[in-house]
Amino acid sequence: ILWRRRGILVLGSSQGQFPLTQNVTVVEGGTAILTCRVDQNDNTSLQWSNPAQQTLYFDDKKALRDNRIELVRASWHELSISVSDVSLSDEGQYTCSLFTMPVKTSKAYLTVLGVPEKPQISGFSSPVMEGDLMQLTCKTSGSKPAADIRWFKNDKEIKDVKYLKEEDANRKTFTVSSTLDFRVDRSDDGVAVICRVDHESLNATPQVAMQVLEIHYTPSVKIIPSTPFPQEGQPLILTCESKGKPLPEPVLWTKDGGELPDPDRMVVSGRELNILFLNKTDNGTYRCEATNTIGQSSAEYVLIVHDVPNTLLPTTIIPSLTTATVTTTVAITTSPTTSATTSSIRDPNALAGQNGPDHALIGGIVAVVVFVTLCSIFLLGRYLARHKGTYLTNEAKGAEDAPDADTAIINAEGSQVNAEEKKEYFI
């Protein structure tokens, strides 16, 4: 039968006329309860004695002066006592005696668990260079029985470890150590290595020690362009992404093994190279170099500047009666995205009048308009030419042959008489 009072494990049973007991296990520093039961008892005394055969309690009377030992329950059928602040020296076989003729006894073994100390990790020196072999040792003492040590890295258990168990000077507890060997790389930087101690005295709450790794390594470099298809006239930004520990110094940009040829158009800002208005002379190999105290690394990017794609529409000639020819050319920049509704190819000879304007009809109308305009200009010119002349008025006709002004006036007055007789017609 199993009892639990105030977190203390109590084991006991009763059967027949014999005293019955159960073994007890307790953690060092805890409290153990020893129970002896008898189902049928004719006023016979019960007694508890320790491994040294010293009487602890006889019925309800305390026999040994030990403040840690107290009476829990005393009756004709049960005698229970408690031992507080249990130490490793309390471990052993305790005896319950029923004073019949002959005396009947029952044994109960008290096991005391030694709690392991908090583990410690040794062997780590910061920082560690990439590629070095690291050896970490986790150690704990005072466990009874010997504790178990397990290693974890990034919450993943590492199985290939060394384990060593040594008995302590008291010859009751153990010191346990475990050694972990592994070669570090840059992925181990910032990783937590955990040593975990498991023991039955810890009530499923293991003790742990943790060591965060610091790994130094050379930079890794990568160049990222702002566009995958650089075109002439457009800007381009090249980003040099560098990682390393310690953090790399400012990066160095070069082109074709030398300095940047056009610093006014090729601007370096931090880790970025900004090229304004690309042209064909910018073609070449660009190199980004990053350096820290461990070493240096670089990456290259081959720049090829592409032409801006364009499409010319066919030339349209407008017929005219004049010698002038009007030519229209339209340049359209193509877009990489083509609508699905215009992607189909049409036959230029099929249904031309339905799918687009009739160029012949438009040309004919323009020709007629030009012809009518030219005819109108021609007729207006002839009309003006016929009315423009040197015809004389009646007054002028009488005065054109006069030697002086007075004679002209006289001739003019004479001419007025016959003015009605002279008429000039224009056709």
Side-chain angles (χ1 to χ4, degrees):
I1 302 174
L2 178 65
W3 294 270
R4 185 178 296 273
R5 298 190 186 94
R6 300 179 184 177
I8 302 171
L9 187 64
V10 182
L11 297 174
S13 66
S14 62
Q15 183 178 3
Q17 299 179 1
F18 294 89
L20 297 177
T21 60
Q22 289 286 345
N23 295 332
V24 177
T25 299
V26 64
V27 176
E28 184 179 11
T31 300
I33 295 181
L34 302 173
T35 300
C36 180
R37 295 182 183 276
V38 180
D39 281 347
Q40 299 178 4
N41 187 5
D42 298 331
N43 298 333
T44 303
S45 296
L46 291 171
Q47 172 186 289
W48 271 111
S49 56
N50 62 16
Q53 296 303 313
Q54 297 173 314
T55 301
L56 303 178
Y57 264 90
F58 186 82
D59 289 337
D60 58 353
K61 298 176 180 61
K62 188 174 183 178
L64 184 66
R65 291 183 178 181
D66 189 336
N67 293 332
R68 300 180 304 129
I69 302 175
E70 298 291 341
L71 179 66
V72 176
R73 183 178 296 104
S75 68
W76 297 116
H77 300 285
E78 179 183 343
L79 178 59
S80 296
I81 62 174
S82 65
V83 182
S84 60
D85 194 18
V86 174
S87 65
L88 294 175
S89 61
D90 293 324
E91 185 174 86
Q93 186 169 266
Y94 289 74
T95 304
C96 174
S97 302
L98 177 62
F99 286 89
T100 58
M101 294 299 293
V103 176
K104 298 176 181 177
T105 61
S106 179
K107 308 292 185 180
Y109 195 89
L110 175 62
T111 301
V112 181
L113 301 178
V115 181
E117 298 175 358
K118 184 176 177 60
Q120 300 291 332
I121 296 178
S122 61
F124 179 77
S125 59
S126 180
V128 180
M129 303 303 169
E130 183 179 25
D132 287 354
L133 182 63
M134 178 177 290
Q135 185 177 84
L136 300 178
T137 300
C138 181
K139 187 176 182 180
T140 181
S141 301
S143 61
K144 176 182 174 297
D148 184 29
I149 295 180
R150 301 166 69 186
W151 287 95
F152 294 86
K153 186 170 74 168
N154 272 347
D155 296 328
K156 182 178 180 180
E157 185 173 2
I158 303 174
K159 296 290 188 180
D160 188 16
V161 296
K162 299 175 183 178
Y163 184 83
L164 179 63
K165 179 177 68 173
E166 297 176 337
E167 193 175 53
D168 294 335
N170 59 16
R171 305 187 65 84
K172 293 180 179 293
T173 59
F174 296 89
T175 295
V176 180
S177 62
S178 178
T179 303
L180 171 65
D181 296 321
F182 65 100
R183 195 170 298 279
V184 299
D185 57 31
R186 62 187 62 198
S187 63
D188 293 321
D189 183 50
V191 169
V193 176
I194 296 175
C195 162
R196 191 176 88 180
V197 175
D198 294 321
H199 193 264
E200 54 186 301
S201 66
L202 299 177
N203 295 324
T205 305
Q207 293 183 343
V208 297
M210 182 175 66
Q211 178 64 62
V212 178
L213 304 182
E214 182 182 1
I215 312 300
H216 283 192
Y217 53 93
T218 57
S220 60
V221 183
K222 180 171 63 174
I223 297 178
I224 304 175
S226 59
T227 174
F229 193 78
Q231 296 180 359
E232 192 170 8
Q234 295 181 349
L236 176 66
I237 299 177
L238 299 179
T239 302
C240 183
E241 187 181 85
S242 59
K243 297 179 181 179
K245 195 165 186 179
L247 190 67
E249 301 171 0
V251 298
L252 175 64
W253 284 98
T254 58
K255 178 179 184 286
D256 296 331
E259 296 182 354
L260 299 177
D262 192 349
D264 294 334
R265 210 166 41 83
M266 299 179 177
V267 181
V268 177
S269 177
R271 301 182 182 279
E272 293 182 351
L273 172 59
N274 192 346
I275 305 177
L276 307 175
F277 307 108
L278 290 171
N279 57 52
K280 292 302 181 69
T281 62
D282 296 328
N283 289 342
T285 301
Y286 291 80
R287 181 185 180 93
C288 167
E289 184 177 287
T291 305
N292 63 7
T293 57
I294 309 302
Q296 72 175 31
S297 183
S298 62
E300 293 183 346
Y301 173 78
V302 178
L303 173 61
I304 300 176
V305 180
H306 300 272
D307 294 329
V308 178
N310 61 79
T311 303
L312 296 178
L313 292 179
T315 300
T316 301
I317 300 177
I318 303 176
S320 174
L321 296 178
T322 65
T323 58
T325 301
V326 180
T327 304
T328 303
T329 303
V330 180
I332 298 178
T333 303
T334 61
S335 172
T337 303
T338 305
S339 172
T341 59
T342 61
S343 60
S344 59
I345 301 176
R346 296 184 176 90
D347 184 357
N349 298 322
L351 300 177
Q354 297 180 12
N355 296 330
D358 192 334
H359 296 287
L361 179 61
I362 294 175
I365 293 174
V366 173
V368 171
V369 172
V370 172
F371 178 75
V372 172
T373 302
L374 293 177
C375 290
S376 299
I377 293 174
F378 176 76
L379 293 177
L380 181 60
R382 283 185 57 84
Y383 177 78
L384 293 176
R386 294 289 299 271
H387 285 75
K388 177 182 178 182
T390 57
Y391 81 94
L392 303 175
T393 63
N394 293 332
E395 292 82 358
K397 284 184 175 294
E400 63 179 348
D401 297 328
D404 52 32
D406 293 336
T407 307
I409 294 173
I410 295 172
N411 293 340
E413 292 177 353
S415 300
Q416 290 179 357
V417 177
N418 299 323
E420 295 296 332
E421 299 177 358
K422 294 182 180 180
K423 295 183 179 180
E424 188 173 2
Y425 297 91
F426 294 91
I427 299 175

